[in-house]
Amino acid sequence: MKLVHISDIHIHANPILGQDPIANFKKCLAYVETHDHDADRVVITGDLTHAGSEESYQELQAILADSSLKDRLEPRLLIGNHDSREMFASVFPNVLRDDAGFIQWTEETPAGVFVYMDTVDQGRHSGRYCESRMTWLKDVLDEARRKGQKAYLFMHHNPVRVHVANADIIGNVDERALQALLKEYNDTAAHLFFGHCHYTLSGAVSGVPYSAPRSTNHSCWPDFSGQINRMGYGDLAPNYHVCFLNENSTVVHSIDFLDAEKVKWKIEEGFDQH
């Protein structure tokens, strides 16, 4: 199964840190439409907008409506800390929610069950995964385990400290409880996809591998100095991820879509793989 994972598009009418988020997201989608149109799913893990405004959600809605992806592949949209849960739901009224009103749901796919999670603590940049949400996730993972399915988890906030102070201070404040749950179900949870940090990440937490792409707009530079108020940014390549989910493997590629014009192709004549 082929998955396109995009994060932190930050739709906004004005530039952010010198970058145009609308233009960059359109360029990202155009590249996906040309090169990864055969994907089975496209998932955007939050910070759909920069300020949670109705105008920004309407802009996103218009961009997606104009995309050729809509003909066969509607992107799955998760919210992040820059989003407004209720404003998003007012513009995208078909959004799925759990019984407590959180924007989270599951979907059956050829690879297993996709679990779309809501880690937003409205009004704060840090994330939460409260007892209600934890109970929902436990029930989902119990069902997947009972069926012998793999579960692929999607969320906005980093579920583990990444050793960058300005990211960890706004990570998931319930990370210990979430990590304990992940450890309990690491035989079922196959991979965890998130965003929020704006730089490429990979690793494992509680025995579950994870990956995160950069923002499609303002990519950041990881800083290990320990300074909470220091953030590295600049003319850095944005990206998205192309992931291949197979029975015995998960492969994740980073696509620096704005650098595509720099690529040169060499074709070997009479190439012999032996």
Side-chain angles (χ1 to χ4, degrees), residues 108-220:
E108 297 290 331
T109 78
V113 61
F114 277 20
V115 185
Y116 304 114
M117 299 164 60
D118 181 340
T119 59
V120 170
D121 187 12
Q122 200 67 65
R124 299 179 181 273
H125 286 300
S126 54
R128 293 299 306 265
Y129 210 67
C130 61
E131 185 176 350
S132 170
R133 284 175 274 193
M134 206 81 70
T135 299
W136 176 87
L137 178 60
K138 189 176 188 301
D139 289 344
V140 166
L141 294 174
D142 278 335
E143 179 70 5
R145 178 184 278 167
R146 185 185 69 79
K147 293 180 177 179
Q149 288 181 308
K150 290 183 178 181
Y152 295 88
L153 312 183
F154 297 83
M155 65 183 70
H156 178 69
H157 289 84
N158 46 303
V160 62
R161 295 182 182 274
V162 298
H163 302 280
V164 177
N166 70 351
D168 290 338
I169 198 67
I170 58 170
N172 191 330
V173 300
D174 297 311
E175 66 171 19
R176 287 188 178 180
L178 180 57
Q179 288 171 17
L181 187 147
L182 291 173
K183 185 176 181 179
E184 182 181 351
Y185 290 94
N186 61 20
D187 62 330
T188 301
H191 199 91
L192 199 156
F193 303 90
F194 63 91
H196 191 48
C197 297
H198 288 224
Y199 31 79
T200 305
L201 282 164
S202 61
V205 55
S206 299
V208 180
Y210 65 73
S211 59
R214 303 180 198 129
S215 168
T216 57
N217 188 61
H218 47 298
S219 297
C220 292

Side-chain angles (χ1 to χ4, degrees), residues 71-90:
D71 296 332
R72 61 169 295 274
L73 192 63
E74 179 184 358
R76 278 50 173 170
L77 305 178
L78 282 67
I79 57 172
N81 52 291
H82 279 265
D83 289 305
S84 163
R85 187 180 286 113
E86 298 309 319
M87 186 61 72
F88 169 65
S90 72

Side-chain angles (χ1 to χ4, degrees), residues 48-66:
L48 305 173
T49 68
H50 191 60
S53 70
E54 182 178 12
E55 293 77 14
S56 292
Y57 289 118
Q58 290 172 341
E59 178 70 31
L60 173 59
Q61 189 177 59
I63 293 170
L64 295 178
D66 287 340

Side-chain angles (χ1 to χ4, degrees), residues 198-265:
H198 288 224
Y199 31 79
T200 305
L201 282 164
S202 61
V205 55
S206 299
V208 180
Y210 65 73
S211 59
R214 303 180 198 129
S215 168
T216 57
N217 188 61
H218 47 298
S219 297
C220 292
W221 193 264
D223 167 40
F224 309 113
S225 69
Q227 296 183 53
I228 292 175
N229 62 344
R230 188 170 188 253
M231 182 184 78
Y233 72 97
D235 189 17
L236 307 172
N239 73 12
Y240 69 90
H241 283 176
V242 173
C243 314
F244 294 91
L245 315 180
N246 299 309
E247 182 178 355
N248 297 312
S249 66
T250 298
V251 177
V252 179
H253 292 272
S254 294
I255 308 299
D256 300 345
F257 56 92
L258 292 186
D259 283 348
E261 294 182 356
K262 301 176 183 177
V263 177
K264 299 177 181 179
W265 300 96

